[in-house]
Each structure stands twice: as C-alpha cells, then as structure tokens.
Amino acid sequence: MDSIGERIQAVRQAASAQTMLAATCALAASDHGDSVNGEAIACLVEVLGFNNPGAAVAAVDGLIRLGPMAVEPILDSLDPRNYGARAWAVRALAGIGDVRGLDLLEEALASDVGPSVRRAAACGLGSLQLKALKPHQRTAVRERALLALLGGCHDGEWVVRYAVSVGLESLGLRLEPQPQEQLQLLKALAALGQPDLEDTVVVRLRARLAHQRLLALMPAAGIEAQAQADDRP
Amino acid sequence: MAPASSIPAAQPLPGDSDAHGNGEPISEGEALARLRQCADQSHQYYAAWWLGRNRSRHPEAVPLLITALQQRRPRDPLAGVEENAVARNAARALGKLGDPAAIPELLAALDDEDDGLREAAARSLGELAAIDAVAVLLRRLASGPAGAGATRPDSPRLQEPCEAMLEALGAIGIAEPGVITLIEPFTAHERPLIRSAACRALLQLSGEARWADPLVQLLDHPQLQVRRAALMDLGAVGWRPALEPICRTLAENSLKLIALRGLVEQGAHHDATIQAEAVLSAMDSLL
C-alpha cells in the first residue's frame, strides 16, 4: 500500500477528473496514523475547492471519517468567494456533528441557495454531538438547533422539509426532559404531517413517522400538544 | 407550502437550454404584469417560468399563459428570446398548474412545427393526464422507431420528441392494446433514453415486471445521463423492487431522493412487498 505522503501527492498531481476521483477515494479510505492525519485533512479540504463533485463527495466522506480533528481545518478554509467549497464544507461539518460547526449549519439552513446544502445542514443540526458538553452548553446548543430547524419547516423545497423532519426526530430523541422544547418540536412535526399545511406526501409521511416515534418517548408533551390543538377555534 | 415570496428565486435548471431568467425575486403580481406586456419577451419568458415554478393559483395565470402559448409563430432560430421560447415556457407552466382549460391549446401545440414546443406540450399533457392527447400522440409516433424515432439529417434530435411523448402516454394511463403495441418497439430503440422512456410507459400501463428489468439495468449504464434518466423513470413508476439498485447506482443523492420519493408516493399502486417505511429509511441515509 502507498504511504499517506504518496497518496496525497497522487491527489495533488492528478491530471484528470477521473484520476483525481480515484486518488481522493484512496486517500479518504486510508488508515491514518495521528502523525499524518493533519496532512491528509489539509489535502482533503483542498479537494473540496476543486470543482470536482465526485472527488468532493469522496473527500467529504473521508473528512467525516476523520471526525472532530477535521473541524478546525474545515472552518479555517472557508472562503466566501468559493461557493462550491463552502457547500461541501457544510456537508462535511453536518456529517461530523461537531458543535463548532453550529454557526455555519444555522446559516446554511436559513439562507444557502442550494437545496442539497440546506438539506445536509438540517440533518446535521439534528445530530450534533452533545455528550462532551457541559449541561448549560448542551441546553444552549439544543435550543439553537431547535430554533434553526423550526425555521426550516417553511423552506420552499420538499427535500429540505423532509430533512428537517429527520433532523427534528433525531434532536427529539436526544432531548432531555424540557417540556417547552418537546412541545414545540411535536407541534412542528404535527404541522408537517398535515395535508392542509404540507403538500408533499412523502414529507407528511416522514413527519408523522417522526411524530409517532417521539410521542412514545414524550407522552406528556404529546397530551399537552393535543390539548392545545383542541383549543384552537 | 411556503408562500411564494419566501422562496429564493431559483434559475431554470442548468439543463434547460432556454434559460434566460434573471433570477431576482419577483412577486406574483409582477410575474403576471411581465407576462401581460409584449414588448420584452425575456420578461415574458421569465414570468411564464415563474408562474409554473411557484404553482400560481391566480385566476389570471392560466388565461395569460394560454395567450402566451398562442403567440408562437414559425420558428426563427436566430432570434434571441423569441415568441416560441415564451410559448415553450408557457406550455411547461400550464402542465404544472393542473388546469384542464389548457388542454385544447396544448393539443394544438402537439402539431406545431417546433419540436421543442411539441416536447413541452407532450410533457404537460401527460402531467394533466389529458386523455384527448392519446390519439394525437399515437398519430405522431405511428411511424415507429425508424420514422418518428429516426435521427434528423440536420441535427442530433429525433424526428419526434419521442422521450416526452412516450412518457406522456405512460402518464395519461390508457392501457389499450393499441397503445401498448405502439410503444413496445421503442424499447429496442438505439438510444438508451428512449428505451428507458418506453419501458417506463409500459411499466406504468401494464404493471408487468418484465419492463422493469431493462430500467434497473440502465442504472449500471456507463453514462451518468442515462443512469439519471433510469432513476427518474423508476421513480415516476414507483417501482419499489428497485429500491436497492437505486441506492447503489452512481448518481447524485438529490436525484436518488427524488426517485425514492416516487417509490413512496406511487409505489402503493403495485404489489410491493417493500413497505414505505423501508424506503423512508433509505431516504434518511441519503440526506
């Protein structure tokens, strides 16, 4: 097997889109030792800016596999003038789930022009890793993620609203008992499941599935949401 | 579901060679005003696209689009945004708005000399499930792959927009023997996109699994464009047995998600052992 150095060189010297893709796949799949991870990450981050979608997908996978250690290099590389690279960075950060990416994910879901970027951001906001955080930080992150996802319920693209349903479910599965949050979350999913509010069948089905799964975990909030719905004129 | 004003103004798809939209957000009122005026056709062109894209329900939208469709005249490929480009966008928008009042004018457009307009009209008549279009479509395709499906001497296009016309027959859903017999020879057309469209239509009309096999095989085609078409076709039919091959094929997740949406929403029509929940779970992993 080639050394990491050789694999990095293969990516940097690739002369065609095809060889770039193959070289990036090889680098992304490498079994890294800590001493060389930094170089591999730097190279994979560079690939995000090369306007080669196939290679970028492979690089995103590789960066997600490398996890939290890739977060700072990705954030440092963000270039407001290179939209493509930024979109791939959002996807990588969404997949890694590190809270340092929260700002970018919020911004991406709210205002990125690419539906596939907003979709990845919605997913990522639901699956941020909270375990390592202090309790008050955890609460703050959850509140921000919930707020961002509630905003995403009104996205114009069905696939983003689908991803928001998935994001809300995974966030809900990891909520600690916070009745107010549970209530907001269940109400948002209930709205996405209603034919008069949501016109895409598959979004409604996914939102109802999420609602059902969460209801089993938070029966109290479910009863409260039902009571509030019944009170509506 | 969101109000139109909150949708970022998207451009027509990159594959749409007629794209001239200037992309700034406009209101429904502005779109209607732009379509009503005749001085600036690029404004009309964008307005027609906008009304379809945003599924306008304004009572003036359909009448104005029908008028725009009637503006067409013999084609002048050298003109920039010409009347026919406006007419094509109007035809596309009329399919999206779902009002059967548009059917007569779309039927007339099926016999226009501009094959781009025939293509747009065929797709929209399919979306409107216009039964009246079947006879015209059969007539235009009657000469088969060697006639309607032959490559033109002067361009890489076919004599008829076969892909759109075959897909329309499948979408309209009249499964009479005459329709089936006419479509079948197109499953052996030299172009994979035409084969894909023919299999899609036959699968929709007959529900017979033998028409699904060629579609699933096209998911392994070396050309991305062909794999994309097979994805869209399997999605349009909602063929759930294709779930695994769809997830595996080399194409953008965005397109796989659209295909899988079709498997969820259309798939209940077929005798499917794969439950919707399995498809949803596959979709989750593609986000």
Side-chain angles (χ1 to χ4, degrees), chain B residues 107-118:
Chain B
L107 278 177
L110 268 190
D111 281 323
D112 195 271
E113 64 175 276
D114 174 2
D115 65 321
L117 182 59
R118 295 205 298 281

PDB file of all heavy atoms in Angstrom, chain B residues 107-118:
ATOM      1  N   LEU B 107     -53.005  20.684 -26.981  1.00  0.00           N
ATOM      2  CA  LEU B 107     -53.213  19.697 -28.049  1.00  0.00           C
ATOM      3  C   LEU B 107     -52.817  20.284 -29.394  1.00  0.00           C
ATOM      4  O   LEU B 107     -52.144  19.624 -30.195  1.00  0.00           O
ATOM      5  CB  LEU B 107     -54.683  19.275 -28.094  1.00  0.00           C
ATOM      6  CG  LEU B 107     -55.124  18.210 -27.092  1.00  0.00           C
ATOM      7  CD1 LEU B 107     -56.632  17.966 -27.229  1.00  0.00           C
ATOM      8  CD2 LEU B 107     -54.366  16.911 -27.320  1.00  0.00           C
ATOM      9  N   ALA B 108     -53.199  21.534 -29.638  1.00  0.00           N
ATOM     10  CA  ALA B 108     -52.828  22.186 -30.892  1.00  0.00           C
ATOM     11  C   ALA B 108     -51.307  22.278 -30.994  1.00  0.00           C
ATOM     12  O   ALA B 108     -50.734  22.090 -32.074  1.00  0.00           O
ATOM     13  CB  ALA B 108     -53.464  23.565 -30.964  1.00  0.00           C
ATOM     14  N   ALA B 109     -50.643  22.542 -29.876  1.00  0.00           N
ATOM     15  CA  ALA B 109     -49.182  22.687 -29.883  1.00  0.00           C
ATOM     16  C   ALA B 109     -48.483  21.363 -30.204  1.00  0.00           C
ATOM     17  O   ALA B 109     -47.331  21.355 -30.627  1.00  0.00           O
ATOM     18  CB  ALA B 109     -48.704  23.241 -28.543  1.00  0.00           C
ATOM     19  N   LEU B 110     -49.164  20.230 -29.980  1.00  0.00           N
ATOM     20  CA  LEU B 110     -48.574  18.923 -30.301  1.00  0.00           C
ATOM     21  C   LEU B 110     -48.325  18.778 -31.795  1.00  0.00           C
ATOM     22  O   LEU B 110     -47.562  17.923 -32.219  1.00  0.00           O
ATOM     23  CB  LEU B 110     -49.519  17.795 -29.870  1.00  0.00           C
ATOM     24  CG  LEU B 110     -49.369  17.196 -28.480  1.00  0.00           C
ATOM     25  CD1 LEU B 110     -50.243  15.961 -28.386  1.00  0.00           C
ATOM     26  CD2 LEU B 110     -47.930  16.843 -28.173  1.00  0.00           C
ATOM     27  N   ASP B 111     -49.002  19.589 -32.596  1.00  0.00           N
ATOM     28  CA  ASP B 111     -48.799  19.526 -34.044  1.00  0.00           C
ATOM     29  C   ASP B 111     -48.003  20.719 -34.554  1.00  0.00           C
ATOM     30  O   ASP B 111     -47.929  20.955 -35.765  1.00  0.00           O
ATOM     31  CB  ASP B 111     -50.154  19.438 -34.771  1.00  0.00           C
ATOM     32  CG  ASP B 111     -50.716  18.015 -34.721  1.00  0.00           C
ATOM     33  OD1 ASP B 111     -49.912  17.061 -34.815  1.00  0.00           O
ATOM     34  OD2 ASP B 111     -51.943  17.863 -34.569  1.00  0.00           O
ATOM     35  N   ASP B 112     -47.398  21.488 -33.638  1.00  0.00           N
ATOM     36  CA  ASP B 112     -46.581  22.642 -34.063  1.00  0.00           C
ATOM     37  C   ASP B 112     -45.325  22.138 -34.761  1.00  0.00           C
ATOM     38  O   ASP B 112     -44.852  21.031 -34.520  1.00  0.00           O
ATOM     39  CB  ASP B 112     -46.207  23.471 -32.842  1.00  0.00           C
ATOM     40  CG  ASP B 112     -45.681  24.847 -33.231  1.00  0.00           C
ATOM     41  OD1 ASP B 112     -44.457  24.982 -33.444  1.00  0.00           O
ATOM     42  OD2 ASP B 112     -46.512  25.769 -33.336  1.00  0.00           O
ATOM     43  N   GLU B 113     -44.774  22.987 -35.621  1.00  0.00           N
ATOM     44  CA  GLU B 113     -43.561  22.537 -36.326  1.00  0.00           C
ATOM     45  C   GLU B 113     -42.319  22.610 -35.435  1.00  0.00           C
ATOM     46  O   GLU B 113     -41.289  22.018 -35.751  1.00  0.00           O
ATOM     47  CB  GLU B 113     -43.350  23.364 -37.604  1.00  0.00           C
ATOM     48  CG  GLU B 113     -43.082  24.827 -37.334  1.00  0.00           C
ATOM     49  CD  GLU B 113     -42.749  25.571 -38.624  1.00  0.00           C
ATOM     50  OE1 GLU B 113     -41.573  25.527 -39.018  1.00  0.00           O
ATOM     51  OE2 GLU B 113     -43.665  26.176 -39.207  1.00  0.00           O
ATOM     52  N   ASP B 114     -42.400  23.334 -34.336  1.00  0.00           N
ATOM     53  CA  ASP B 114     -41.272  23.431 -33.403  1.00  0.00           C
ATOM     54  C   ASP B 114     -41.277  22.199 -32.492  1.00  0.00           C
ATOM     55  O   ASP B 114     -42.169  22.040 -31.653  1.00  0.00           O
ATOM     56  CB  ASP B 114     -41.424  24.727 -32.586  1.00  0.00           C
ATOM     57  CG  ASP B 114     -40.385  24.843 -31.478  1.00  0.00           C
ATOM     58  OD1 ASP B 114     -39.524  23.936 -31.370  1.00  0.00           O
ATOM     59  OD2 ASP B 114     -40.438  25.824 -30.732  1.00  0.00           O
ATOM     60  N   ASP B 115     -40.279  21.322 -32.670  1.00  0.00           N
ATOM     61  CA  ASP B 115     -40.314  20.075 -31.886  1.00  0.00           C
ATOM     62  C   ASP B 115     -40.067  20.339 -30.396  1.00  0.00           C
ATOM     63  O   ASP B 115     -40.500  19.569 -29.561  1.00  0.00           O
ATOM     64  CB  ASP B 115     -39.325  19.047 -32.438  1.00  0.00           C
ATOM     65  CG  ASP B 115     -37.896  19.501 -32.298  1.00  0.00           C
ATOM     66  OD1 ASP B 115     -37.638  20.702 -32.492  1.00  0.00           O
ATOM     67  OD2 ASP B 115     -37.032  18.672 -31.982  1.00  0.00           O
ATOM     68  N   GLY B 116     -39.389  21.442 -30.082  1.00  0.00           N
ATOM     69  CA  GLY B 116     -39.207  21.799 -28.672  1.00  0.00           C
ATOM     70  C   GLY B 116     -40.548  22.115 -28.018  1.00  0.00           C
ATOM     71  O   GLY B 116     -40.789  21.771 -26.857  1.00  0.00           O
ATOM     72  N   LEU B 117     -41.413  22.755 -28.792  1.00  0.00           N
ATOM     73  CA  LEU B 117     -42.744  23.063 -28.275  1.00  0.00           C
ATOM     74  C   LEU B 117     -43.588  21.786 -28.188  1.00  0.00           C
ATOM     75  O   LEU B 117     -44.329  21.587 -27.221  1.00  0.00           O
ATOM     76  CB  LEU B 117     -43.431  24.118 -29.158  1.00  0.00           C
ATOM     77  CG  LEU B 117     -44.821  24.554 -28.684  1.00  0.00           C
ATOM     78  CD1 LEU B 117     -44.758  25.136 -27.278  1.00  0.00           C
ATOM     79  CD2 LEU B 117     -45.420  25.589 -29.634  1.00  0.00           C
ATOM     80  N   ARG B 118     -43.459  20.908 -29.200  1.00  0.00           N
ATOM     81  CA  ARG B 118     -44.191  19.631 -29.127  1.00  0.00           C
ATOM     82  C   ARG B 118     -43.769  18.859 -27.883  1.00  0.00           C
ATOM     83  O   ARG B 118     -44.584  18.240 -27.202  1.00  0.00           O
ATOM     84  CB  ARG B 118     -43.913  18.778 -30.374  1.00  0.00           C
ATOM     85  CG  ARG B 118     -44.431  19.381 -31.668  1.00  0.00           C
ATOM     86  CD  ARG B 118     -44.695  18.322 -32.741  1.00  0.00           C
ATOM     87  NE  ARG B 118     -43.527  17.561 -33.180  1.00  0.00           N
ATOM     88  CZ  ARG B 118     -42.611  18.010 -34.043  1.00  0.00           C
ATOM     89  NH1 ARG B 118     -42.713  19.224 -34.545  1.00  0.00           N
ATOM     90  NH2 ARG B 118     -41.591  17.246 -34.398  1.00  0.00           N
TER      91      ARG B 118
END
